[in-house]
């Protein structure tokens, strides 16, 4: 949604008028956008935000989303999410009719930027709990019908528990605008559960703890990893003392201090373990906990101990990816295709399916074994102009 777009109450009322439905090409809701405060988040912040999100009569998720934004920049967490989403996005797909025959023309409608964005926002609902996706104008390019853009309605303005849009973050649900009925419903699709808070809710404690341990380790390194310069003077002249302080300060970034003659400085480290075991081990544990939640295993993103174990972990990960792919397929077939049909895309009678890797492997095996396969099979299945077998010069 365009950050600078503003809509009037008159437009909102017009949305209920069937005569103007064709003129409405975007979700005409005025959302008062506010800058997210990048304040430090801790476990107490996460627990308080969780409580706000599950209040029965007025659930508010905006503080929980603040926590999500804070932890989502973690490199390990974002890498795990990208790995899981990427495995789904790269799966080959097709649009088939009731007989199972692929239509290259219909499939081509989905080989566009808007569909890639829709898939991205839909998969994000697994991590955030919910996504409300808004579709833009419909237009045609080179004979292919498509949406001009697909955008995510800001989550802080959505109350999925009641199917409402909130003009101001934190508004009472009685002031909300329903998005499941009327013309709004014709231009948006929601993904995720009405009460689900997403996987980021589960990994937030580990991500917050990891961030704190990294900060503590930085403090440890600043204190004990660099030498401390100590200057001593018996002078009481403030001018002379200032000169010595300036010299100590300009000598480098290490800690320094200026003390009267005879002052004793003593710094004691804890004797219960070194920094590696205290900090690095805790960071590793936080990473592995996030991997288990997001990837259901650890070895596809962390170092594995053996080839056999890594194969087991890979199979577990493939099951997770397949579950996400099935989730996406259901939303496309049950929500996206009906919406496209309503806007004249000509997808009636078609369904979204993934290419079977097994069938492709069987085809390769039969060809490599010397079996003859009717060229018409490949021409129809892969829309290839197969004209015949190429003659070898060495026949």
């Amino acid at each position: 949604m365009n950050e600078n777009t503003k809509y009037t109450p008159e437009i909102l009322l017009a949305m209920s008028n069937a005569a103007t439905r064709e003129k409405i090409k975007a979700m005409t809701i005025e959302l008062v956008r506010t800058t997210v405060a990048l304040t430090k988040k801790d476990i107490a912040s996460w627990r308080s935000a969780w409580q706000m999100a599950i209040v029965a009569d007025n659930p508010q998720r905006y503080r929980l989303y603040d926590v999500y934004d804070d932890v989502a920049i973690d490199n390990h967490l974002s890498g795990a999410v990208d790995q899981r989403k990427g495995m789904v996005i790269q799966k080959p797909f097709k649009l088939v009719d009731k007989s199972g025959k692929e239509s290259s023309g219909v499939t081509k409608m989905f080989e566009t930027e808007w569909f890639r964005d829709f898939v991205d926002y839909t998969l994000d609902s697994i991590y955030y709990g919910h996504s409300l996706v808004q579709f833009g104008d419909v237009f045609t390019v080179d004979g292919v019908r498509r949406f001009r853009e697909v955008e995510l309605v800001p989550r802080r303005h959505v109350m999925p528990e009641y199917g409402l849009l909130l003009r101001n973050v934190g508004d009472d649900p009685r002031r909300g605008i329903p998005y499941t009925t009327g013309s709004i419903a014709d231009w948006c699709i929601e993904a995720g559960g009405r009460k689900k808070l997403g996987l980021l809710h589960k990994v937030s404690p580990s991500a917050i703890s990891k961030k704190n341990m990294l900060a503590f380790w930085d403090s440890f390194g600043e204190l004990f990893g660099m030498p401390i310069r100590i200057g001593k003077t018996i002078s009481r002249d403030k001018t002379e003392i200032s000169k010595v302080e300036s010299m100590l300060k300009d000598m480098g970034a290490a800690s320094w201090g200026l003390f009267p003659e005879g002052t004793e400085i003593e710094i004691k480290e804890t004797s219960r373990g070194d920094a590696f075991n205290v900090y690095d081990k805790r960071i590793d544990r936080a990473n592995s906990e996030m991997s288990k939640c997001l990837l259901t295993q650890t070895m596809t993103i962390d170092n594995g101990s053996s080839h056999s174990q890594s194969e087991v972990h890979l199979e577990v990960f493939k099951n997770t990816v397949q579950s996400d792919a099935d989730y996406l397929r259901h939303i496309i077939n049950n929500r996206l295709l009906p919406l496209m049909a309503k806007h004249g895309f000509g997808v009636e009678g078609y369904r979204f399916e993934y290419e079977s890797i097994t069938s492709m492997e069987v085809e390769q095996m039969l060809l490599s074994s010397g079996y003859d396969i009717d060229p018409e099979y490949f021409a129809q299945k892969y829309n290839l102009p197969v004209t015949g077998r190429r003659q070898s010069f060495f026949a």
Side-chain angles (χ1 to χ4, degrees), residues 322-370:
Q322 187 59 49
S323 176
D324 290 353
D326 291 340
Y327 166 72
L328 177 63
R329 176 168 54 85
H330 291 315
I331 290 180
I332 292 173
N333 285 328
N334 299 327
R335 302 182 187 180
L336 178 60
L337 288 177
L339 183 142
M340 293 175 66
K342 185 179 296 186
H343 293 295
F345 276 78
V347 294
E348 295 86 348
Y350 288 93
R351 69 179 186 274
F352 178 93
E353 294 289 350
Y354 288 104
E355 288 281 5
S356 173
I357 302 299
T358 302
S359 65
M360 297 172 65
E361 292 174 347
V362 170
E363 292 168 1
Q364 181 64 34
M365 180 187 68
L366 292 174
L367 289 171
S368 61
S369 299

Side-chain angles (χ1 to χ4, degrees), residues 206-248:
S206 294
I208 291 172
S209 177
K210 174 186 173 182
K211 181 181 64 175
N212 291 336
M213 294 307 293
L214 286 169
F216 296 154
W217 202 355
D218 284 345
S219 298
F220 180 92
E222 184 179 3
L223 184 60
F224 296 107
M226 299 180 67
I228 300 177
R229 301 188 299 274
I230 297 178
K232 297 181 180 180
T233 179
I234 59 174
S235 174
R236 296 180 178 275
D237 187 348
K238 292 184 178 181
T239 302
E240 291 297 325
I241 293 175
S242 296
K243 288 182 180 180
V244 176
E245 287 178 343
S246 297
M247 287 188 291
L248 289 171

Side-chain angles (χ1 to χ4, degrees), residues 297 299-300 304-316:
Q297 44 78 45
M299 287 191 180
T300 61
S305 58
S306 70
H307 179 69
S308 60
Q309 287 184 351
S310 64
E311 288 184 336
V312 173
H313 282 233
L314 181 59
E315 287 301 316
V316 173

Side-chain angles (χ1 to χ4, degrees), residues 1 5-21 23-32 134 153 157 164-168 171 174-179 181-185 187:
M1 183 173 296
T5 303
K6 296 296 181 182
Y7 302 103
T8 64
E10 289 74 17
I11 295 180
L12 297 178
L13 293 175
M15 296 179 68
S16 61
N17 187 344
T20 62
R21 181 172 299 179
K23 298 180 181 179
I24 301 172
K25 301 301 182 181
M27 187 177 299
T28 53
I29 300 298
E30 180 182 358
L31 303 181
V32 179
Q134 170 193 346
V153 178
H157 293 269
L164 298 174
L165 289 171
L166 306 178
R167 183 176 182 274
N168 295 281
D171 271 355
R174 289 173 293 183
R175 301 180 61 187
I177 302 171
Y179 60 77
T181 58
S183 297
I184 294 181
W187 295 96

Side-chain angles (χ1 to χ4, degrees), residues 93-98 101-112 114-115 143-146 332-333 336-338 340-341 344-353 383:
F93 64 87
K94 58 185 177 180
L95 274 295
V96 299
D97 58 19
K98 294 180 180 179
K101 182 179 179 181
E102 180 182 2
S103 171
S104 59
V106 177
T107 301
K108 192 175 181 180
M109 291 183 184
F110 291 79
E111 296 172 346
T112 52
W114 72 261
F115 180 68
V144 179
R145 199 168 177 83
R146 63 182 66 188
I332 292 173
N333 285 328
L336 178 60
L337 288 177
M340 293 175 66
F345 276 78
V347 294
E348 295 86 348
Y350 288 93
R351 69 179 186 274
F352 178 93
E353 294 289 350
N383 193 32

Side-chain angles (χ1 to χ4, degrees), residues 9-75:
E10 289 74 17
I11 295 180
L12 297 178
L13 293 175
M15 296 179 68
S16 61
N17 187 344
T20 62
R21 181 172 299 179
E22 290 299 325
K23 298 180 181 179
I24 301 172
K25 301 301 182 181
M27 187 177 299
T28 53
I29 300 298
E30 180 182 358
L31 303 181
V32 179
R33 303 299 299 275
T34 57
T35 302
V36 178
L38 299 178
T39 57
K40 181 179 179 181
K41 305 301 187 299
D42 52 24
I43 299 298
S45 302
W46 166 76
R47 188 170 295 276
S48 174
W50 180 12
Q51 185 66 64
M52 284 185 61
I54 59 176
V55 173
D57 57 344
N58 186 16
Q60 297 288 344
R61 300 190 180 198
Y62 64 92
R63 287 190 180 176
L64 195 61
Y65 291 143
D66 289 345
V67 175
Y68 290 177
D69 288 346
D70 189 58
V71 303
I73 63 172
D74 181 273
N75 291 333

